[in-house]
Structure formats: structure tokens, C-alpha cells
Amino acid sequence: MARITIDTPLDVRLLDKGLSVGEALAAFNAAHGEAGGVVSFLGKVRPDGDVRALELSHYEPLTLPAMRELTETARDQFALDGALVWHRIGVMTPGEAIVLVATAARHRRDAFAAADYLMDHLKSAAWLWKREKRADGWHWIEPRGQDHEDIARWE
């Protein structure tokens, strides 16, 4: 039984501490019993090279409203029963969760497409700033060319 409850079809959160993936997904699944498909994606800090930490900062008045608007767009575009978008902020180390996205829809293809859409947009969101700590200090991370290509396919 999940200790977390989902009370709204679109559950969008910014978290400054870790998240319980299993509990979140159990609560999301329980909240969307009519869905034919539930898809989830967990993004984690990669231990690439000498990455020691990842820090995500944001502009508070813009970030959560923009994430909600993105999630509403996904709901409408893909006929979702519900969506969960939880994103960490602050400092994380390799292996820690950064983002959890789950989508529920009557049909699996809508759930898969919506999760992909949400992640492509979250990955390139201008309202989240990322930097990595390596042996030689902190370095800002800019979106890669692939990130721009990924988001462009939804236009």
C-alpha cells in the first residue's frame, strides 16, 4: 500500500529531496484504475567521466507554472487520464533520481507518446539550469544538439 496519495489527475511537483519511485508509481497506478496503459520514466544522474554532482536550479515563479502548463498540453494532446511529473532541484550525486514522469491513458501508444513528449520538453526546458561538478569545479550544461532535435519533432 502506497503512503503517497495522488488526488488530482495531473500531479506536478518540484522536490528538493529524494523521491520514492515505488510509492509514487503505486499511488499513480491506484489513482488511474481505468487506464489501459501506464508508462513511467525515471531519469538519473549519470556517472559520466568524473561527474561528482549535478545541480539543478530554477526561477521559482516560472518553473512550476510552466511544468503544469506542459503537463496540461500533454494531457490534451494525448488524451491522458493522468500524468505525474516530479522533478528534483538542488544537488544530486550519480545514481540519484532527477525526474520521474508517469502517464496514464486508455491506450498504450498515447501513454508512451505523452511520456516521451514530456521528457523531451523537460530535458530542454529553459526554466531549469543545470551544472555538473567535476574534479576541476562546476561547469554549466547547455542543451545538446540532440536535445534540440528531440524537441523540434513535436512542433
Side-chain angles (χ1 to χ4, degrees):
M1 186 67 141
R3 292 181 303 204
I4 297 171
T5 57
I6 307 273
D7 297 328
T8 178
L10 304 181
D11 192 310
V12 180
R13 304 181 192 192
L14 283 172
L15 307 167
D16 59 4
K17 295 185 174 134
L19 53 97
S20 175
V21 175
E23 287 184 35
L25 292 176
F28 184 75
N29 187 50
H32 300 291
E34 298 296 314
V38 173
V39 170
S40 65
F41 173 83
L42 175 66
K44 302 184 332 180
V45 179
R46 288 186 304 263
D48 289 347
D50 66 345
V51 172
R52 297 176 179 181
L54 175 72
E55 180 181 44
L56 276 84
S57 54
H58 68 109
Y59 179 59
E60 192 163 343
L62 177 61
T63 309
L64 202 52
M67 288 173 62
R68 285 186 180 122
E69 182 178 335
L70 173 65
T71 307
E72 289 167 2
T73 300
R75 175 197 58 205
D76 296 343
Q77 187 169 336
F78 300 101
L80 295 178
D81 290 353
L84 177 146
V85 177
W86 291 5
H87 210 299
R88 289 278 312 274
I89 54 173
V91 177
M92 292 151 274
T93 57
E96 283 189 80
I98 302 170
V99 61
L100 177 63
V101 168
T103 56
R106 300 296 165 152
H107 304 285
R108 67 181 163 86
R109 291 204 189 282
D110 288 329
F112 274 110
D116 200 23
Y117 172 88
L118 287 164
M119 279 310 307
D120 282 349
H121 285 79
L122 287 168
K123 178 86 171 138
S124 301
W127 17 269
L128 290 167
W129 302 297
K130 303 170 191 167
R131 63 183 190 149
E132 291 177 336
K133 184 175 186 181
R134 299 185 203 126
D136 62 346
W138 287 97
H139 300 272
W140 288 105
I141 302 171
E142 296 294 328
R144 303 167 300 142
Q146 183 64 53
D147 296 330
H148 294 293
E149 290 175 28
D150 289 345
I151 204 168
R153 67 192 175 110
W154 300 106
E155 296 172 359

